[in-house]
Amino acid sequence: MIIIKTEQEIEKMKKAGELLAKVHKEIAKMIKPGISTHEIDQFVENYLLDHGAIPEQKGYQGYPYATCASINDEICHGFPRKEPLKDGDIVTIDMVVNLDGWLADSAWTYPVGNISDEARKLLDVTKKALYIGIEKAVVGNRIGDISHAIQSYVESEGFSVVRDFVGHGIGRKMHEDPQVPHFGKPGRGPRLVEGMVITIEPMVNAGGYTCTIDDNNWTARTIDGKLSAQYEHTIAISKEGPLILTDQD
Ligand code: MF3
Ligand code: CO
């Protein structure tokens, strides 16, 4: 069941999203060779608590941290770790902020120091794929229109779209209906109506899309060991077009 939000509820989610965007901007300043994802995770947890918010991921289905921190071939749900980031790494920081009971979700992939040309292209294509998907998040379209636009663009650039993890509705709960795949056929799936709030969060691999899950039962990584990137926003569907609730600009 898709839960439609009122304007007032979307306003509350926007407050959560604004705080989340601020956290990402702080992270962007912190990321450099030598810092660890454990330090970033602690920073995020403290920052959110200091601002009256809760890191929703911590304790969610037993997930142990405030953030997911996925490095290089890790696709998503990477555990923060004490080992420092190295020059040339890419790292995706994903988090869900709970402010006054309303949630926002956003992931961003950061370059660490100087990255390879291939890694740079992967980041650029993945971010563009997110915005191409967002353009399709308009009243009257269907979820499949978002999915298809993202998949066609990513594959035209020679990369692949992860199948095993998808975007989702969000509100008072992290995962609501509908699912938002980043691959599929246009004109299929639920129709977008005013008041729906969804995440769009393409995970894009430099090689094949197949994943394997680590022994921690959480972390997904590419089976071929190639790089993976992800950009995610929380989007409200409105008559005026897509509202990016986690916008950093
Ligand atoms: N933020 C993730 C998403 O985009 C969910 C993280 S799973 C958790 O859907 F367990 F870490 F919370
Ligand atoms: Co997320």
Side-chain angles (χ1 to χ4, degrees):
M1 187 198 52
I2 296 173
I3 302 170
I4 300 301
K5 280 81 185 176
T6 65
E7 260 176 57
Q8 290 82 349
E9 289 169 341
I10 288 173
E11 212 33 57
K12 289 182 189 163
M13 294 183 75
K14 189 159 179 250
K15 291 270 179 325
E18 281 167 1
L19 181 60
L20 202 171
K22 268 195 204 162
V23 178
H24 268 307
K25 284 181 165 169
E26 292 299 323
I27 294 171
K29 289 188 252 169
M30 294 168 75
I31 297 253
K32 45 174 84 68
I35 193 170
S36 72
T37 48
H38 170 76
E39 285 167 78
I40 292 165
D41 187 70
Q42 298 231 299
F43 164 79
V44 169
E45 181 162 2
N46 292 329
Y47 189 98
L48 293 180
L49 295 174
D50 286 349
H51 288 77
I54 296 165
E56 184 74 7
Q57 291 189 161
K58 193 164 179 170
Y60 178 83
Q61 295 185 357
Y63 186 77
Y65 301 99
T67 61
C68 299
S70 307
I71 302 169
N72 296 335
D73 62 324
E74 294 172 347
I75 295 167
C76 62
H77 306 162
F79 281 12
R81 57 179 85 148
K82 292 203 168 139
E83 189 188 330
L85 291 167
K86 300 186 304 292
D87 188 58
D89 284 343
I90 60 171
V91 58
T92 303
I93 308 291
D94 185 10
M95 77 192 86
V96 179
V97 169
N98 177 335
L99 186 65
D100 300 327
W102 291 93
L103 310 185
D105 188 356
S106 177
W108 215 250
T109 302
Y110 297 93
V112 182
N114 292 308
I115 60 171
S116 69
D117 290 347
E118 192 184 35
R120 172 45 61 194
K121 182 181 169 196
L122 180 67
L123 267 49
D124 292 346
V125 167
T126 309
K127 193 192 284 182
K128 191 163 168 197
L130 167 61
Y131 285 95
I132 283 173
I134 291 173
E135 270 178 41
K136 300 287 181 188
V138 295
V139 172
N141 269 359
R142 290 182 185 269
I143 291 290
D145 297 315
I146 299 172
S147 312
H148 177 74
I150 291 173
Q151 180 181 16
S152 334
Y153 169 64
V154 167
E155 292 179 355
S156 78
E157 293 289 345
F159 295 141
S160 71
V161 173
V162 170
R163 309 293 201 260
D164 294 354
F165 301 92
V166 297
H168 48 89
I170 181 168
R172 285 183 175 280
K173 291 226 176 81
M174 190 190 298
H175 293 139
E176 296 180 355
D177 288 339
Q179 293 202 340
V180 184
H182 309 102
F183 59 96
K185 296 198 169 71
R188 302 281 179 91
R191 201 176 283 285
L192 302 176
V193 300
E194 182 165 35
M196 277 172 70
V197 185
I198 57 172
T199 72
I200 302 178
E201 48 178 306
M203 283 144 274
V204 173
N205 294 352
Y209 61 73
T210 315
C211 312
T212 158
I213 304 290
D214 284 3
D215 289 342
N216 66 17
N217 282 323
W218 276 102
T219 308
R221 66 178 68 241
T222 60
I223 203 158
D224 57 18
K226 296 197 176 166
L227 296 176
S228 185
Q230 181 184 25
Y231 292 86
E232 171 184 27
H233 274 312
T234 298
I235 311 292
I237 311 300
S238 87
K239 279 195 293 246
E240 288 80 46
L243 296 176
I244 305 177
L245 303 182
T246 45
D247 199 0
Q248 296 176 27
D249 299 331

